[in-house]
Amino acid sequence: MIVRHRVKRAVVASALGLAVASGGIATASTAQAADTGTDTISCSAVKVHQSYSKGSTTVGIAYKGDKIAYKQWVYQRAAKTWWVHGTVTRKSDHKKISGYVVYQCANPYNTWPAPTPPIPK
């Protein structure tokens, strides 16, 4: 049984390595990689969370006009909500806060649309 799991793990690892080597990106069902870019916060104030859940710990607050360097989109199936992971730089005190922001507040003019969510199985 243990040998079977190790073989499966080796096959999966080699398949992922091949996908990355050929230029493809392997993604989880809840997260999607995005090109790193910058945008501004469009809501008057938004909480920056430690994880992609409204019930998670708040690590800071971002205000309208603050810059966000995003790295990843995350879709939370239970809440049917898109999140953006990145680093917010506040204009007021130049503090950098890393965490998750609700997508609607981090994408003011739909400059980079979120990917369609995965179809539930």
Side-chain angles (χ1 to χ4, degrees):
M1 193 71 150
I2 293 173
V3 174
R4 187 174 172 187
H5 288 293
R6 287 184 182 167
V7 170
K8 272 186 175 178
R9 193 176 298 158
V11 169
V12 170
S14 64
L16 288 175
L18 181 61
V20 171
S22 65
I25 298 175
T27 59
S29 62
T30 58
Q32 193 128 33
D35 292 331
T36 303
T38 58
D39 222 326
T40 57
I41 301 295
S42 60
C43 298
S44 58
V46 64
K47 293 178 182 179
V48 180
H49 293 270
Q50 189 173 16
S51 67
Y52 55 92
S53 170
K54 289 187 180 180
S56 67
T57 305
T58 302
V59 293
I61 297 177
Y63 300 99
K64 187 171 187 164
D66 291 347
K67 301 279 184 201
I68 181 168
Y70 55 86
K71 299 174 189 151
Q72 186 179 40
W73 292 313
V74 180
Y75 183 70
Q76 185 184 19
R77 286 185 187 178
K80 295 181 182 164
T81 305
W82 278 103
W83 293 81
V84 175
H85 182 262
T87 303
V88 175
T89 305
R90 287 199 300 222
K91 287 196 309 188
S92 60
D93 59 358
H94 303 290
K95 184 177 179 181
K96 293 188 181 222
I97 306 165
S98 181
Y100 293 86
V101 177
V102 176
Y103 173 77
Q104 289 81 2
C105 292
N107 186 25
Y109 306 108
N110 288 328
T111 52
W112 41 280
T116 56
I119 298 169
K121 294 180 182 177

